[in-house]
C-alpha cells in the first residue's frame, strides 16, 4: 500500500514537472496581469517569493519579483525604487516605448542586468537570487543580479590541514569556489565550463581544466559521462562521483576529493579535470592514481629531503596498516617457527589466560576499533574526547587486565588502526581499513599462503583498475621512468642559480 | 574484474583441496621444546630428554599472577629404541603438543657419543618437524639431561644460554646443519663444541669433541679450549680469541687480543707426496704488556710480534701432530682442500685418507700483527 502510494506520488510529481516545463518554455505576454497570474500559480505556496507591484504616476505598473532574503534590499532601495518612485522618468512618459529597455539602459545602468522573455528562465533566475522586473505592456522582463545572502565564510579546510601552504578552503557557493580557482590560475587558458545537472533541481556544475595541458581523452570522457547523468538533483559532489566512476566494485577511490583550491589548481596544472558542484565545498579532481592518494598538499611546499623521508614512512605504514593484523595471525597460528624465540615466549605467556582463539580476538578488537572510530566522528565535539578515553581505558586496559583479550592483540589492532590514519587524503584510508577484514579471514584459514593469495588478488585488481583510461598504478606500472622519481621520492625543483631554463611543470 | 575474482576462488579451492593445510596451532596448545638431550642408558636404549618451556613461568607480562614461583621450564625424559621411538612416550607426559620448531640445542651425552651417534642422525634430517638450526654440543663427562636441568644465570632457559655462549666465545654458530654438512663431506671430520658441568652445577665450555664419521660417528677425543681455538682458526670457525705468551727478550708476558683471523691452506704435490701449507694471519691489539719492551717503538713491536708468532706456530704444530697421531681424524678439512685442488688424485686418495692424513706433512706459518699497541707505551712497571 505504502509502496503504491509512493509510486503514485512520484507519477503525480512527474506530471506536474512536465506541465510546468511545457508552460515554462512559453514566452511572457504583454499583459502584466496575465504574467502575474501565471507566476503566482507557479510559485503557489512559496511564501518566500515576494510579488511587489509598483505604480508610477498612477499609470504604468511595474512588478518586482524576488526571493525574500536573497536580495540586497539596500541596492533595491537606492538604485531601483528611489529613481523610479521619486526621480521619475528621465524624458517623460510615453516617448519611450519600452520601459524595460529604459530601466536597463538608463535607470539601473550601474547594475548587472539581463533581458529574458521565457517564463521558465525568469523563474529560474528569480530562484537564484535575481530581481525580476516586469512591466505592463512589455514582452521581456528585466532581471538584475542584486543577490545577497548568507554563506559560510572562507575558512581553513580542517579535514585537509597542512602546515605550510594556503589556508583557504572551498565553500558551498560555486561562484566563490571558481573565483578562488581563477585567482590562483590567472590565465585565460583556465576554462570553466558550466553545466546544469538534475531534472528537478538543475544544479550548477562546472568542469574546470586548463586548455593545452588537459588530457583531451579524460576531458571528453568526463563531459560524456556527466551529460549522461540521470538524477533529480545534486546535493553533494559525491552524487557526481558515484555516477561517473569507472566501477562501483572497487574499494579504492577513483577520483580525488578536496576542499583546497591549491590542490585543484595543482591537479589542473598536471592535466587533470576538476568538477565542482554548487552547494558542496568538495571538488572532484579526475583521475587520481594510487600514489597521489598517498601525497599530502604540503609535500610540494616543504623541502624535498624531509618530504621524501615522510613519503616512505607513509608507504611503509600503508603496508603495515593492511598487513599487520593478518601477518600476526598467520605467524602466531601457522608459522610459529618464524617468530624469534624470546618474542614467541612473551606472546605465549600473555596468551596463557586468554579464553578466545587469536582469530576471534583480532576480529573482535578490529570491530570495536572501527566502532570507536565511527563514534568519535559522529559525536559532538564536546563528547569526542570522552570516546577516546572510554575506548582506550575500558576496551584496551580493562579487557587486558581482565584477561579477556591478550595485550599483543590490542597493540596489533591499535597500531594498524592508527597507521591507517597517517594517510593524508583521509578517504584513501578507507580501502586499507576495509581490506583488512578479508585478509584477516584468509590468513586465519590458510596462514601466509592465504595472505599471499589475498595480496595477489588486490594487486590484480589494482593493475586492472584504470579510471578514465589512466591505469591506477601509474607510473609504477605501466612504468614511466621519468615520473617515477616523484613516487620514490619528492624530486627537488631545479635551482635558479644556474639560469637553466625550466620548462617542466613541477607542481603537486 | 570478474575474471580476477573467479581466478582467486579457483586458487583458494586448489590450496584447500591439494594441501589440506588446516594446521592452525594456537601458541597455548603447544609445548615448546627448547632443547633435546640424547643419552645412552645402561640397557643400550636411547634416552631422549626434552626441555619444555612453561610460558606462565617465564613471566613475560605483568599479570602472571601467582605463577611467580613457577619454574620457567621442565625436563622430561623417555627411553626408546631410536630417537623417534621416544617421542610418543614424551608426548604422553604432556597435555600440549610437542613443538620442535624452536629447538635451540641438541646435546649429546658422552656415553652416547662414545657409542656413536651415526644412527640417530636420520630422524633429525628425515622428520619434517625437526629444526636444523639447532646448535649442537657434546657433553663431556656427563649426561645431556643434567645440562638441560641446570638453572642458568641470566636467561630463563639453559638452551638459549648455550646459544649466546657461542657468540660470547667468538665462535661462529655451530648449527646442526653445519654438522651435517661436515659429516656428509668427503675430506673432513666433525668437531663439535663441548660443554661440561662443574661441581657447582654450572655449565662451562670445555673445548671441542672430535667424532670419527668413518666409525659410526664415535667420539675420538676432546680438545681443550686453546686447542679448539687453534683448530677453529684453521677451519675458519673462530672470529677472534686472545693469546698470552711469554716474550723472552722482554722477560714478561704479552697478551694479544686477536680480532681478525685469516687463513689459507695450500696443497702442493712433490713426487706423489702431498704437502699441506697452512698460512694463518691474525691481527689484533695488545691488551696487556708485562715486559720491559715498548710496543710503540717499531723495533720492540717486531720483537713482540715475532716471538708471539713463533710460540703460537709451535703450539699449532703440536696440535696438528697430536690430532694426526692420536685421533687420526682430519678435523682441519685438509682432505677437502686436496679434493678441491686435485680432484683427479682425490678419487684414489679418499679411500685411505685417514691413514694418509696421519702421515701428512703439514707446515704451519703463523703471522701475528699488532695493529694497536694499546693506550700506553711501555709497561707501567718499567716506567722511570
Amino acid at each position: 500500500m505504502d509502496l503504491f502510494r509512493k509510486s503514485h506520488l512520484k507519477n503525480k510529481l512527474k506530471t506536474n514537472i512536465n506541465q510546468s516545463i511545457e508552460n515554462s518554455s512559453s514566452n511572457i505576454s504583454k499583459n502584466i496581469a496575465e504574467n502575474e497570474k501565471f507566476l503566482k500559480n507557479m510559485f503557489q505556496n512559496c511564501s518566500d517569493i515576494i510579488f511587489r507591484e509598483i505604480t508610477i504616476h498612477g499609470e504604468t505598473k511595474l512588478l518586482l519579483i524576488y526571493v525574500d532574503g536573497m536580495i540586497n534590499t539596500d541596492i533595491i532601495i537606492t538604485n531601483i525604487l528611489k529613481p523610479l518612485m521619486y526621480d521619475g522618468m528621465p524624458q517623460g512618459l510615453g516617448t519611450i516605448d519600452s520601459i524595460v529597455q529604459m530601466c536597463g539602459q538608463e535607470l539601473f545602468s550601474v547594475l548587472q542586468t539581463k533581458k529574458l522573455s521565457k517564463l521558465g528562465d525568469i523563474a529560474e533566475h528569480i530562484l537564484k537570487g535575481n530581481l525580476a522586473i516586469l512591466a505592463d505592456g512589455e514582452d521581456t522582463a528585466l532581471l538584475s543580479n542584486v543577490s545577497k545572502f548568507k554563506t559560510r565564510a572562507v575558512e581553513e579546510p580542517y579535514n585537509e590541514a597542512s602546515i605550510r601552504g594556503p589556508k583557504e578552503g572551498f565553500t558551498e557557493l560555486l561562484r566563490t569556489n571558481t573565483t578562488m580557482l581563477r585567482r590562483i590560475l590567472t590565465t585565460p587558458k583556465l576554462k570553466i565550463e558550466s553545466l546544469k545537472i538534475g531534472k528537478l533541481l538543475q544544479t550548477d556544475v562546472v568542469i574546470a581544466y586548463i586548455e593545452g595541458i588537459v588530457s583531451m581523452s579524460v576531458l571528453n570522457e568526463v563531459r560524456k559521462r556527466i551529460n549522461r547523468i540521470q538524477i533529480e538533483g545534486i546535493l553533494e559532489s559525491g552524487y557526481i562521483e558515484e555516477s561517473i566512476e569507472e566501477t562501483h566494485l572497487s574499494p579504492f577511490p577513483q577520483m580525488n576529493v578536496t576542499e583546497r583550491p591549491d590542490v585543484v589548481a595543482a591537479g589542473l596544472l598536471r592535466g587533470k579535470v576538476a568538477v565542482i558542484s554548487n552547494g558542496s565545498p568538495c571538488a572532484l579532481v579526475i583521475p587520481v592514481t594510487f600514489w597521489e592518494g598517498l601525497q599530502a598538499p604540503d609535500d610540494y611546499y616543504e623541502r624535498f629531503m624531509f618530504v621524501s623521508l615522510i613519503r616512505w614512512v607513509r608507504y611503509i605504514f600503508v603496508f603495515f596498516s593492511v598487513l599487520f593484523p593478518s601477518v600476526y595471525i598467520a605467524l602466531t597460528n601457522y608459522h610459529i617457527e618464524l617468530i624469534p624465540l624470546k618474542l614467541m615466549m612473551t606472546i605465549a605467556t600473555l596468551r596463557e589466560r586468554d579464553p578466545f582463539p587469536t582469530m576471534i580476538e583480532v576480529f573482535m578488537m578490529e570491530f570495536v576499533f572501527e566502532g570507536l572510530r565511527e563514534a568519535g566522528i559522529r559525536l559532538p565535539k564536546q563528547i569526542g574526547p570522552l570516546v577516546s578515553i572510554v575506548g582506550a581505558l575500558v576496551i584496551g586496559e580493562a579487557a587486558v587486565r581482565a584477561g579477556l583479550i591478550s595485550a599483543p592483540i590490542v597493540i596489533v589492532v591499535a597500531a594498524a588502526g592508527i597507521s591507517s590514519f597517517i594517510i593524508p587524503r583521509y578517504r584513501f584510508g578507507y580501502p586499507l581499513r576495509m581490506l583488512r577484514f578479508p585478509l584477516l579471514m584468509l590468513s586465519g584459514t590458510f596462514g601466509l599462503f592465504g595472505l599471499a593469495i589475498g595480496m595477489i588478488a588486490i594487486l590484480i585488481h589494482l593493475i586492472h583498475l584504470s579510471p578514465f583510461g589512466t591505469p591506477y598504478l601509474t607510473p609504477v606500472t605501466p612504468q614511466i621512468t621519468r615520473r617515477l622519481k616523484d613516487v620514490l621520492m619528492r624530486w627537488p625543483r631545479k635551482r635558479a642559480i644556474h639560469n637553466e631554463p625550466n620548462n617542466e611543470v613541477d607542481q603537486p | 574484474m570478474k575474471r580476477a575474482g573467479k581466478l582467486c576462488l579457483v586458487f583458494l579451492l586448489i590450496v584447500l583441496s591439494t594441501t589440506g593445510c588446516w594446521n592452525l596451532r594456537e601458541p597455548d596448545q603447544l609445548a615448546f621444546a627448547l632443547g633435546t638431550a640424547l643419552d645412552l642408558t645402561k640397557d643400550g636404549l636411547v634416552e631422549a630428554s626434552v626441555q619444555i618451556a612453561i610460558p606462565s613461568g617465564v613471566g613475560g607480562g605483568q599479570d602472571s599472577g601467582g605463577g611467580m614461583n613457577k619454574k620457567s621450564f621442565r625436563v622430561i625424559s623417555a627411553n626408546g629404541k631410536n630417537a623417534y621411538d621416544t617421542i610418543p612416550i614424551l608426548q604422553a607426559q604432556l597435555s600440549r603438543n610437542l613443538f620442535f620448531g624452536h629447538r635451540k640445542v641438541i646435546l649429546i651425552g658422552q656415553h652416547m657419543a662414545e657409542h656413536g651417534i651415526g644412527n640417530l642422525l636420520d630422524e633429525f634430517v628425515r622428520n619434517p618437524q625437526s629444526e636444523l638450526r639447532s646448535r649442537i654440543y657434546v657433553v663431556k663427562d656427563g649426561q645431556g639431561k643434567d645440562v638441560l636441568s641446570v638453572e642458568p644465570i641470566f636467561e630463563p632457559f639453559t638452551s638459549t644460554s648455550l646459544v649466546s655462549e657461542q657468540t660470547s666465545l667468538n665462535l661462529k654458530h655451530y648449527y646442526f646443519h653445519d654438522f651435517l654438512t661436515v659429516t656428509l663431506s668427503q675430506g673432513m671430520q666433525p668437531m663439535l663444541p663441548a660443554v661440561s658441568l662443574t661441581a657447582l652445577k654450572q655449565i662451562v665450555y670445555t673445548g671441542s669433541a672430535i667424532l670419527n664419521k668413518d666409525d659410526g660417528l664415535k667420539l675420538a677425543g676432546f680438545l681443550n679450549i686453546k686447542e679448539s681455538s687453534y683448530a677453529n682458526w684453521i677451519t675458519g670457525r673462530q672470529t677472534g680469541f686472545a693469546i698470552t705468551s711469554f716474550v723472552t727478550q722482554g722477560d714478561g708476558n704479552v697478551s694479544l687480543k686477536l680480532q681478525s683471523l685469516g687463513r689459507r691452506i695450500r696443497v702442493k704435490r712433490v713426487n706423489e707426496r702431498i704437502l699441506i701449507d697452512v698460512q694463518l694471519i691474525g691481527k689484533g691489539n695488545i691488551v696487556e704488556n708485562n715486559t720491559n719492551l715498548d710496543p710503540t717503538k717499531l723495533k720492540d713491536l717486531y720483537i713482540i710480534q715475532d716471538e708471539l708468532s713463533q710460540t703460537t706456530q709451535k703450539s699449532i704444530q703440536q696440535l696438528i701432530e697430536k690430532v694426526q697421531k692420536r685421533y687420526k681424524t682430519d678435523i682441519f678439512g685438509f682432505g677437502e682442500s686436496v679434493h678441491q685442488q686435485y680432484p683427479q688424485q682425490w678419487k684414489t686418495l679418499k679411500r685411505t685418507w685417514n691413514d694418509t692424513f696421519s702421515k701428512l706433512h703439514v707446515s704451519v706459518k703463523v703471522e701475528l700483527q699488532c695493529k694497536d699497541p694499546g693506550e700506553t707505551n711501555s709497561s707501567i712497571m718499567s716506567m722511570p
Side-chain angles (χ1 to χ4, degrees), chain A residues 44-243:
Chain A
Q44 203 179 4
N45 293 340
C46 299
S47 58
D48 55 336
I49 311 277
I50 307 290
F51 289 80
R52 185 162 175 179
E53 284 166 37
I54 296 169
T55 322
I56 302 163
H57 305 314
E59 286 176 35
T60 317
K61 277 172 84 186
L62 281 177
L63 181 62
L64 308 185
I65 311 169
Y66 58 91
V67 181
D68 197 16
M70 279 173 83
I71 298 289
N72 191 341
T73 38
D74 288 349
I75 295 181
I76 296 189
I77 290 167
T78 54
N79 291 355
I80 299 170
L81 291 179
K82 239 175 98 185
L84 279 173
M85 307 285 282
Y86 301 110
D87 302 348
M89 297 294 135
Q91 291 106 2
L93 295 162
T95 47
I96 292 168
D97 45 10
S98 162
I99 193 163
V100 167
Q101 190 192 342
M102 186 229 11
C103 287
Q105 283 176 348
E106 293 176 23
L107 277 180
F108 328 133
S109 47
V110 277
L111 299 173
Q112 187 187 343
T113 54
K114 207 184 235 178
K115 266 194 269 181
L116 290 173
S117 57
K118 283 213 169 60
L119 277 164
D121 292 344
I122 293 165
E124 197 195 314
H125 278 82
I126 289 169
L127 289 173
K128 282 188 176 156
N130 289 306
L131 171 74
I133 303 169
L134 275 76
D136 196 20
E138 306 283 341
D139 58 354
T140 49
L142 186 78
L143 285 132
S144 73
N145 188 2
V146 287
S147 64
K148 186 190 179 188
F149 43 84
K150 289 274 178 287
T151 50
R152 194 164 60 100
V154 175
E155 290 164 1
E156 187 180 357
Y158 53 91
N159 288 339
E160 275 175 274
S162 71
I163 298 194
R164 188 167 172 181
K167 297 275 186 280
E168 59 176 15
F170 284 139
T171 69
E172 281 74 11
L173 200 64
L174 179 63
R175 204 34 82 198
T176 320
N177 297 349
T178 51
T179 344
M180 278 187 226
L181 212 53
R182 182 64 80 181
R183 276 209 317 267
I184 298 172
L185 301 168
T186 47
T187 161
K189 286 193 173 163
L190 170 67
K191 305 295 175 194
I192 301 179
E193 282 178 17
S194 181
L195 294 167
K196 289 192 190 343
I197 309 179
K199 280 181 285 188
L200 182 65
L201 299 187
Q202 290 283 299
T203 317
D204 281 318
V205 171
V206 296
I207 302 177
Y209 57 91
I210 295 179
E211 200 176 38
I213 297 180
V214 71
S215 145
M216 282 318 284
S217 60
V218 174
L219 179 62
N220 290 334
E221 192 63 34
V222 171
R223 276 186 192 141
K224 206 164 74 190
R225 289 189 196 178
I226 286 188
N227 283 326
R228 279 195 204 140
I229 295 177
Q230 295 289 318
I231 202 166
E232 294 293 303
I234 283 165
L235 300 182
E236 219 283 336
S237 53
Y239 287 37
I240 306 176
E241 184 190 2
E242 205 162 76
S243 309

Side-chain angles (χ1 to χ4, degrees), chain A residues 255-296:
Chain A
M255 48 197 85
N256 198 0
V257 172
T258 180
E259 286 181 50
R260 297 176 60 104
D262 59 324
V263 172
V264 174
L268 297 186
L269 284 170
R270 279 186 163 189
K272 293 177 193 294
V273 178
V275 176
I276 313 172
S277 95
N278 197 16
S280 161
C282 300
L284 305 175
V285 182
I286 304 167
V288 73
T289 65
F290 181 75
W291 312 105
E292 282 162 0
L294 306 179
Q295 292 172 0

